[in-house]
Amino acid sequence: MQRRAFLGIGGGLLTSAALGGWVLARSAAQPLLLSARDDGNGQHYAVGYRLDGRQQFSTRVAQRCHDVATHPSLPLALFVARRPGTQSYLLDLRDGQLLQVIESPTDRHFYGHALFDRRGDWLYSTENDTSDPGRGVIGVYQLHGQRLQRHSELSSHGIGPHQLAWMPDGQTLVVANGGIRTEADSRTPLNPQEMDSSLVLLDRSGTLLSKDQLAQQQNSIRHLTVASDGTIVTAQQYQGELTDNAPLLAIKRPDQALQPFAVAEAQRMAMHQYCASVAIHSELRLIALSAPRGNRLFIWNMDSGQLRLDEHLPDCAGVASTADGFVASSGISGCRAYECRGASIQRQMLQLPAGLWDNHLRLA
Amino acid sequence: MLQPVRYTLLALSLLLAACSAPDPQTRTSSALASEVFKPAYAAWAVSSQQLTGSAGALCAGSIDLSEARKSLIKAQTAWAALQPLQLGLITEGNRSWQVQFWPDKKNLVGRQIEALLDKNPQPSQADLKQASVVVQGLSAYEYLLFDPAIDLSQATAKTRYCALLEEIAQHQKLLADEVFEDWEAADGIASQLEHFPSPRYADAHAAIADLLRAQVSGLDVMKKKLGTPLGVQSKGTPQPYQADAWRSGESLNNLAAGLASAQLVWQGQADNGLRSLLDSSQQPLAKQIDQAYADTLQQLEMLQQSLTALFVADGTHAQLQALYTRLDQLHRLHERELAKALDVQLGFNAHDGD
C-alpha cells in the first residue's frame, strides 16, 4: 500500500443529497469564518466562527494549517498544512467533524494553499517535489462523496508554488511560484541568491498559458487574488534588504503584463518587505492587504490607486471580502470588520477570540 | 465604644490599601514606562534639540567640525538607546526610518543627498519633509559630517551642505519633540502603560507583552546590526561598510547603548523590571539571563576600537564573532524562554508566517 493512501476518519460517507440543505442554511446565517488557529500551548486547530462570535467548531489537528479550500456547494472544507506539512484535513463545516486526513505522497509536501474547482468535483493543491527540492507541483484530487482521492499532478511551471486561484472562466488556474527552493522538513531557503519567482497561468490540463516575473530576483510572489473582471493582484515577500525598494503589491490587468501597483514610500516601507494576505472586493473595486511585520492593514482603490486605509493592526493576518467590505484577523490581537461603502471606511471590532489566527481566512 | 469603630476603620483602610496596591504586572509596566522608556525618549529629544544648535553654530562658524561631530554622536547614542524601547508613536508612520536608514547596502544616503542638492541646492523644511526618508535622518547627518569626501570645515562644503544640515537637524528636533509629547500626554503611551484598561491595552498583561515585544525586537535588530558587517548573512565575508554607523565609527558604542536599555527593561531602575515578574520556580532562568547580559557586556568591553577598525586589526574577527554569539544567546533567551515564562505571545505571523 502506498504512503499516499488516504486515512479516512470517522463519519460515514454522506451523499451530496444529504448535504443539500447547506446552501439554504448558510445563506440564512451569518457568514462562517474559517481559519487555522493555534492555542497558547502551540496546539493547532481548524476553526469555524460566525462573525457574531459564536463558535461553530474548533477541531484539533496534528499539523499547523495555513489556508482553507471551501467547497462551492457542500459544507466541506480542506484545511491545508503549511509548508513543509504533510497532512491536510477535510472537515464537515456543520460540526467540525474531521472526515479525512490527507497525507501527501512520498517526496511531496503541502505549501498551505489549495482550492476546489467551480463544480466542487476536483481540488488542486500546491506542493513541493522534495526529490528535486522546490520543483513546483500541483496535486490534483478528485472528490468522491466526502473523500478526496489523489488523481494526478501537474507542473506549476516554477519553483516553490504558494497560493493559487481560478480565473473567472473557472478553467484557467493562476499560480504564484514563490521562487524559493526548500527541502523536505525544512523552511530554510536553499537558493537565496538564485530565486526564480513567477506568476503563471495554466489550463486544467497543465498547459502553460503565460508566465510573468518581477524585475527583482529576490521578490517572492506568494499570494494572489482575482477580481471578477480577471484582474490579478499579487502580494510579495521580498528576501533582500529591508531598505531596498521592492514592489510588494503588483497587478496584472486583463491582457496586460504583471506590473508594480503604485504604493507610496510611506506604505511600502511600513510593510517591512513582507505581506501576508491579499483580498479584492470586486464590486467596490478595492484591494485589502495585510502586512504583519509592519503591523499594518491597507486598503486601496484598485483603479485609481487611491489609499483608502492605512491602519495599525498588530500582527495582522487573514483578510477576506464581505458584502460591504472586508474582515481581517490577527496573530496577537482582535479581529475587525471594515465597512467600505461610505466615503470613509468604518471599523468594527468583532467579538471573536483575539490572536493566534494564521495568515489566511475564508468566509463560507 | 470607640474602640470597635477604630478597629473597623483600621481594617477598612488596610483593605483599601490592599485593593489599591497595583498588581506586579501593573507595577512593572508603570515603572518601566516612567523610569526607563520616558527618560530615554526625553534624552533623545534633548539631544535632537542640541543638534539644531550645533548645526547652526557649525554653519555660522562659531564651533568647529569636531564639536559638531560630538553633538551628532550624542544624538546617535540617544537614538541607539531607544532600539529596545520602540513603542508608541515612534513605531507609526515610518518615524524610525526618518531617524535612521539602515542597512544602506547601496549607499543610497550619499547618492540621494547629492541628487537632492543637485536638483535643489537650498532645500527647505517642507522640501525635506517631501523627500525620501533616506535623506531626513541621522544617517544623512552622519554622511554630511563624516563622509571622507566631504569636509564641512571648508567654506565650499558649507555652501553646498549647510542648508540641508540645518534642515535635517530641525526635522529631527520636530520629530523627537512630537514623539516625546506622546510620552508625556495625559492620554499618551506612558499613561496607557500605567492605567488599565486603556485604549491600547485591555490589561497589564497586554502591556507587559508589548514591552517585551519591543525589547526582543530591539535585541533582534541589534543582532542584525552586528551580524551584517560580520557577514553572518553573506557566508562569513565581512562587510564593514554595512555597519550602522561606519562613518562615525560609533557602531559598537551604539550597540552598548542599546544593550544598556535592554538590560534596564529586564532589571528596571529599582529591581522592578521584567525580571521581578518571575516567580521562585523561574529563578534559574532569571540567573541565566543575568549571566547572558554579563557575558555580552564583558565581551563588548574587550573590544575598545571602532567596528571598522576592528575589521582590519588582526585576530579581532574571532572576538566580534564571540560577541555576536553572546548577543544571539541573549536574544534567544528573551525570545523563547522569557516570553514563555511570562506567558507572552510575541508574534504569530510576523515572526513565523508564510
Side-chain angles (χ1 to χ4, degrees):
Chain A
M1 186 168 169
Q2 293 183 4
R3 185 175 160 261
R4 68 165 65 171
F6 306 105
L7 307 176
I9 292 189
L13 290 178
L14 294 176
T15 64
S16 295
L19 302 168
W22 165 251
V23 175
L24 271 179
R26 73 172 175 181
S27 63
Q30 285 242 343
L32 182 61
L33 186 155
L34 304 170
S35 180
R37 197 166 176 252
D38 272 20
D39 68 12
N41 297 319
Q43 306 292 343
H44 313 303
Y45 295 84
V47 303
Y49 280 85
R50 296 290 167 190
L51 285 185
D52 62 8
R54 281 176 294 151
Q55 186 189 85
Q56 180 104 347
F57 63 84
S58 178
T59 303
R60 189 165 162 192
V61 291
Q63 296 186 7
R64 181 172 165 184
C65 293
H66 190 56
D67 199 0
V68 186
T70 55
H71 193 277
S73 55
L74 301 175
L76 297 174
L78 186 74
F79 286 73
V80 190
R82 72 173 197 154
R83 70 186 167 102
T86 53
Q87 290 186 344
S88 290
Y89 308 95
L90 188 68
L91 264 65
D92 185 327
L93 297 182
R94 294 170 301 183
D95 56 7
Q97 186 186 10
L98 182 56
L99 301 171
Q100 185 186 6
V101 177
I102 299 170
E103 299 271 358
S104 61
T106 305
D107 294 332
R108 300 285 181 272
H109 70 66
F110 294 109
Y111 269 122
H113 292 272
L115 79 177
F116 280 98
D117 72 343
R118 186 181 280 176
R119 286 166 54 103
D121 297 332
W122 299 89
L123 178 124
Y124 296 78
S125 155
T126 48
E127 298 171 7
N128 185 6
D129 174 2
T130 52
S131 69
D132 178 7
R135 186 181 79 84
V137 164
I138 297 177
V140 183
Y141 298 79
Q142 191 167 18
L143 185 68
H144 295 286
Q146 282 187 293
R147 297 183 68 76
L148 282 163
Q149 189 166 16
R150 192 176 180 93
H151 177 273
S152 54
E153 66 182 31
L154 310 172
S155 168
S156 82
H157 301 282
I159 293 167
H162 203 68
Q163 192 165 18
L164 74 177
W166 289 108
M167 294 301 284
D169 64 8
Q171 302 298 318
T172 307
L173 279 167
V174 54
V175 184
N177 284 306
I180 300 173
R181 293 187 186 275
T182 48
E183 295 176 294
D185 306 323
S186 169
R187 292 168 59 81
T188 306
L190 297 172
N191 61 334
Q193 305 304 324
E194 289 119 22
M195 285 173 53
D196 186 13
S197 181
S198 61
L199 180 77
V200 306
L201 268 70
L202 60 151
D203 66 20
R204 291 178 78 135
S205 68
T207 304
L208 180 68
L209 302 176
S210 72
K211 187 168 192 168
D212 286 84
Q213 293 192 290
L214 293 168
Q216 286 151 303
Q217 201 179 24
Q218 288 184 293
N219 207 2
S220 176
I221 305 169
R222 290 292 181 89
H223 296 112
L224 55 82
T225 181
V226 180
S228 57
D229 70 348
T231 300
I232 304 162
V233 172
T234 67
Q236 279 73 250
Q237 294 174 3
Y238 182 69
Q239 307 294 309
E241 296 295 344
L242 202 54
T243 44
D244 286 352
N245 182 350
L248 299 180
L249 195 61
I251 190 161
K252 181 177 172 62
R253 300 186 192 276
D255 303 319
Q256 291 185 22
L258 180 70
Q259 55 190 296
F261 183 87
V263 171
E265 184 187 69
Q267 282 74 45
R268 179 180 59 74
M269 295 195 80
M271 293 175 193
H272 292 212
Q273 309 290 35
Y274 185 95
C275 298
S277 212
V278 62
I280 279 181
H281 197 296
S282 288
E283 183 201 341
L284 298 175
R285 304 292 290 170
L286 297 175
I287 301 168
L289 178 75
S290 65
R293 290 189 184 161
N295 301 311
R296 309 299 296 181
L297 182 77
F298 304 101
I299 298 177
W300 291 268
N301 181 293
M302 64 189 281
D303 297 320
S304 68
Q306 182 201 1
L307 180 68
R308 295 285 313 278
L309 182 86
D310 176 358
E311 174 165 274
H312 179 72
L313 175 50
D315 202 59
C316 55
V319 189
S321 65
T322 59
D324 296 321
F326 297 97
V327 289
S329 62
S330 161
I332 56 174
S333 66
C335 300
R336 302 172 186 187
Y338 297 87
E339 170 14 273
C340 302
R341 288 196 182 275
S344 64
I345 292 175
Q346 303 296 315
R347 174 183 30 144
Q348 182 200 346
M349 301 303 291
L350 293 171
Q351 298 304 308
L352 291 162
L356 299 164
W357 296 88
D358 212 280
N359 265 347
H360 300 280
L361 65 87
R362 298 279 160 190
L363 295 175
Chain B
M1 195 59 204
L2 281 176
Q3 212 59 358
V5 175
R6 210 173 272 167
Y7 283 127
T8 307
L9 284 173
L10 182 64
L12 195 62
S13 62
L14 285 172
L15 187 68
L16 284 171
C19 287
S20 59
D23 66 280
Q25 294 195 100
T26 301
R27 189 195 60 217
T28 292
S29 175
S30 181
L32 288 177
S34 60
E35 297 167 16
V36 176
F37 279 68
K38 205 162 143 181
Y41 278 89
W44 174 52
V46 168
S47 71
S48 301
Q49 165 77 43
Q50 290 169 345
L51 201 62
T52 57
S54 167
L58 174 70
C59 292
S62 54
I63 62 167
D64 64 17
L65 183 57
S66 66
E67 281 300 307
R69 285 176 168 178
K70 283 180 195 162
S71 294
L72 167 65
I73 288 169
K74 202 172 166 190
Q76 270 183 329
T77 309
W79 171 250
L82 295 181
Q83 190 77 74
L85 311 177
Q86 299 271 312
L87 206 62
L89 206 55
I90 193 66
T91 64
E92 300 272 327
N94 290 327
R95 285 180 176 81
S96 64
W97 289 114
Q98 293 178 43
V99 184
Q100 186 177 31
F101 186 78
W102 181 89
D104 186 14
K105 203 173 171 182
K106 298 166 185 164
N107 188 25
L108 285 183
V109 168
R111 282 161 49 200
Q112 291 202 16
I113 282 178
E114 299 303 334
L116 172 76
L117 293 176
D118 287 346
K119 198 174 155 195
N120 180 2
Q122 298 288 318
S124 66
Q125 188 58 215
D127 295 332
L128 191 65
K129 218 172 170 180
Q130 289 296 313
S132 166
V133 295
V134 176
V135 300
Q136 292 176 345
L138 296 179
S139 308
Y141 201 97
E142 185 194 28
Y143 168 80
L144 298 175
L145 290 198
F146 282 96
D147 194 81
I150 299 172
D151 182 0
L152 266 185
S153 59
Q154 301 298 313
T156 49
K158 284 184 182 176
T159 304
R160 179 164 170 85
Y161 296 108
C162 262
L164 179 62
L165 189 81
E166 291 188 69
E167 294 303 343
I168 293 172
Q170 180 66 13
H171 185 71
Q172 291 303 300
K173 177 198 173 297
L174 294 172
L175 186 66
D177 283 351
E178 181 194 25
V179 171
F180 182 59
E181 275 166 23
D182 186 50
W183 279 93
E184 287 218 295
D187 56 351
I189 181 73
S191 163
Q192 300 204 38
L193 287 161
E194 288 163 355
H195 309 289
F196 307 101
S198 63
R200 196 176 172 112
Y201 305 112
D203 52 34
H205 182 69
I208 291 294
D210 228 16
L211 291 163
L212 178 65
R213 274 185 211 112
Q215 186 203 31
V216 170
S217 163
L219 285 168
D220 186 40
V221 175
M222 286 152 62
K223 206 170 82 175
K224 285 179 179 146
K225 283 183 172 173
L226 180 63
T228 302
L230 263 178
V232 172
Q233 309 289 339
S234 50
K235 298 175 183 166
T237 311
Q239 302 185 62
Y241 298 110
Q242 300 292 310
D244 71 325
W246 68 268
R247 287 186 171 96
S248 62
E250 288 295 306
S251 301
L252 288 181
N253 287 339
N254 288 351
L255 177 61
L259 210 49
S261 293
Q263 194 172 22
L264 269 182
V265 176
W266 166 240
Q267 288 185 329
Q269 288 285 11
D271 291 332
N272 48 7
L274 296 179
R275 192 186 196 286
S276 68
L277 297 174
L278 298 184
D279 62 28
S280 55
S281 71
Q282 295 165 323
Q283 287 313 299
L285 173 62
K287 285 177 184 147
Q288 220 182 338
I289 295 176
D290 287 343
Q291 190 61 48
Y293 274 110
D295 290 347
T296 312
L297 288 165
Q298 188 189 23
Q299 186 64 30
L300 187 58
E301 280 164 15
M302 286 167 63
L303 301 164
Q304 290 296 327
Q305 291 170 281
S306 79
L307 194 58
T308 318
L310 284 169
F311 277 112
V312 291
D314 288 337
T316 51
H317 192 271
Q319 287 183 32
L320 285 169
Q321 192 63 51
L323 175 62
Y324 180 84
T325 304
R326 282 167 174 74
L327 192 55
D328 185 40
Q329 166 73 357
L330 184 69
H331 172 243
R332 284 169 193 269
L333 278 171
H334 285 75
E335 186 187 41
R336 296 178 186 174
E337 308 305 329
L338 183 58
K340 199 170 163 191
L342 296 176
D343 191 23
V344 168
Q345 180 74 35
L346 280 178
F348 191 52
N349 301 300
H351 283 246
D352 189 23
D354 213 344

